[in-house]
Amino acid sequence: QFLYFIANEMNSKVKDASLAFVRKATQLELRSCEVGVRLPSEYEPWDPLGQQWVFRRDFVRERLPTLNDIAIDGDVDDELESFVVSCLKQPIPNWKQKLLNFLYKNNNVHFYDAQVYVGEPRLYMTSKQEWNSSLVKYPLAQTVLDIGSGKGDLISSYRENFNRIICMETSRAMCKALRKEGYESHRTAKVQFEEGMTIPEIDIVFCLNTIDRCNNPKDMLSSIRKVISPGTPVVISVPLPYYHLDFLDQTSLSGMELEGDNTFESSAEAVARKLLERHGFRPTALYRYPYISSGPRDFPLSQTLDTAVFFCDTLF
């Protein structure tokens, strides 16, 4: 109800409150939210008492027996706050949301194509500042392979760090949108280049929030290894834990016994041990980023998930 009040009644008092809400969760808040299964994320991101949004950027260290040394705490920065404020002030118009809902139900329109046609929702995961900090260890990387690029929302925050970004997408509309934004885009259902094409030397691979949506994560990881050289760094992210809304009808990861005990940290441990390391990707850094989607007036943040971002060395 507080959220609806802020979204619908943008008077000066509410506006002042809404601009000061973004902060890290306290341990007390986190403990109060860890009982039982909560959708869509591990904890409740909206704090009605404080009238503020809560985003968890650090880790419960005792739940990371093998990843504790590489887990890097983050914080809330200006870009995250600006995105959330923009969602509150400029939610998806009702007519666009109705059009989205109509297209989603149309079997002749791909789910992700619909988002391109309507231009909504907007997605946010990582700020430019955070990418600059985490990518500083790869100063010579110039050419990127981005797998499952969507319409470019997640790429835009790191694009200035590289000279060439090669995108792979299954959606025709998204490929068109990517080209419009100046990205090199290839429409393919697999991680492969067109026959006859000179395969470029890839310096770094991004696979952001894709392995939880593909039909076979193991095959995808194996395919990545086929188009890169030994030692090429790979950045892989996946929303955790697995009981978030997008995952209710996806079984590609849940069938691999990766769920852990339904906490972010144990799920990250399971992904690292049972998926990444078994397929030749050794995590060297782990970050916890928010994964946010804009929404309509009644629910201006329609998705508030946490994403585990693994920086990995490729082992051959």
Side-chain angles (χ1 to χ4, degrees), residues 39-314:
L39 294 174
S41 59
E42 183 184 17
Y43 56 89
E44 179 56 56
W46 172 248
D47 170 23
L49 295 179
Q51 295 192 29
Q52 55 194 344
W53 289 93
V54 176
F55 294 102
R56 181 73 190 271
R57 300 303 314 278
D58 55 356
F59 300 88
V60 179
R61 295 287 173 168
E62 55 268 27
R63 294 180 186 159
L64 292 173
T66 67
L67 299 176
N68 188 42
D69 290 343
I70 65 169
I72 302 171
D73 292 339
D75 208 338
V76 170
D77 61 21
D78 292 341
E79 285 188 49
L80 171 56
E81 182 168 347
S82 295
F83 181 83
V84 177
V85 170
S86 71
C87 292
L88 290 171
K89 289 186 173 183
Q90 297 176 315
I92 298 176
N94 287 337
W95 70 269
K96 281 192 173 185
Q97 187 61 49
K98 289 179 180 179
L99 179 57
L100 267 178
N101 294 339
F102 171 78
L103 293 175
Y104 285 162
K105 296 175 183 177
N106 189 327
N107 293 330
N108 295 319
V109 179
H110 192 280
F111 181 87
Y112 297 115
D113 286 355
Q115 297 179 4
V116 176
Y117 300 149
V118 180
E120 298 284 0
R122 293 169 290 136
L123 302 177
Y124 177 92
M125 190 180 81
T126 316
S127 69
K128 293 180 181 180
Q129 177 182 338
E130 288 175 312
W131 278 129
N132 290 342
S133 176
S134 58
L135 292 170
V136 70
K137 65 182 77 172
Y138 310 113
L140 301 180
Q142 297 297 320
T143 302
V144 171
L145 173 62
D146 191 283
I147 301 166
S149 307
K151 61 182 190 295
D153 290 23
L154 304 187
I155 304 176
S156 61
S157 57
Y158 75 67
R159 70 180 300 174
E160 295 178 1
N161 292 278
F162 305 101
N163 290 336
R164 183 184 183 188
I165 299 177
I166 304 168
C167 301
M168 289 186 175
E169 247 301 333
T170 61
S171 162
R172 185 187 304 274
M174 285 191 167
C175 283
K176 185 176 180 179
L178 288 165
R179 295 189 191 105
K180 187 177 180 180
E181 292 296 321
Y183 301 111
E184 182 179 336
S185 180
H186 300 266
R187 186 175 181 232
T188 174
K190 297 182 179 180
V191 183
Q192 61 184 21
F193 291 98
E194 292 90 339
E195 185 176 351
M197 175 182 173
T198 301
I199 299 178
E201 184 68 27
I202 304 298
D203 296 319
I204 188 169
V205 175
F206 288 83
C207 185
L208 305 179
N209 299 351
T210 301
I211 62 170
D212 60 310
R213 297 165 187 252
C214 68
N215 292 329
N216 193 317
K218 297 178 181 179
D219 286 351
M220 174 170 281
L221 293 176
S222 297
S223 298
I224 291 174
R225 290 164 55 87
K226 294 178 182 178
V227 298
I228 60 176
S229 304
T232 302
V234 178
V235 183
I236 298 173
S237 70
V238 57
L240 299 175
Y242 297 114
Y243 49 76
H244 59 78
L245 290 176
D246 266 355
F247 206 78
L248 292 180
D249 58 356
Q250 286 276 359
T251 58
S252 58
L253 286 179
S254 60
M256 299 173 65
E257 299 180 350
L258 296 178
E259 292 89 341
D261 63 1
N262 277 341
T263 65
F264 181 90
E265 291 84 1
S266 66
S267 296
E269 284 275 342
V271 169
R273 294 194 313 273
K274 299 180 181 180
L275 184 61
L276 300 181
E277 292 176 359
R278 288 182 183 179
H279 290 83
F281 297 93
R282 183 182 63 194
T284 59
L286 169 63
Y287 297 86
R288 182 177 191 157
Y289 291 148
Y291 186 33
I292 310 171
S293 172
S294 62
R297 190 174 181 84
D298 289 342
F299 198 9
L301 294 189
S302 63
Q303 169 180 284
T304 51
L305 306 177
D306 283 357
T307 291
V309 182
F310 297 90
F311 280 71
C312 303
D313 285 342
T314 310

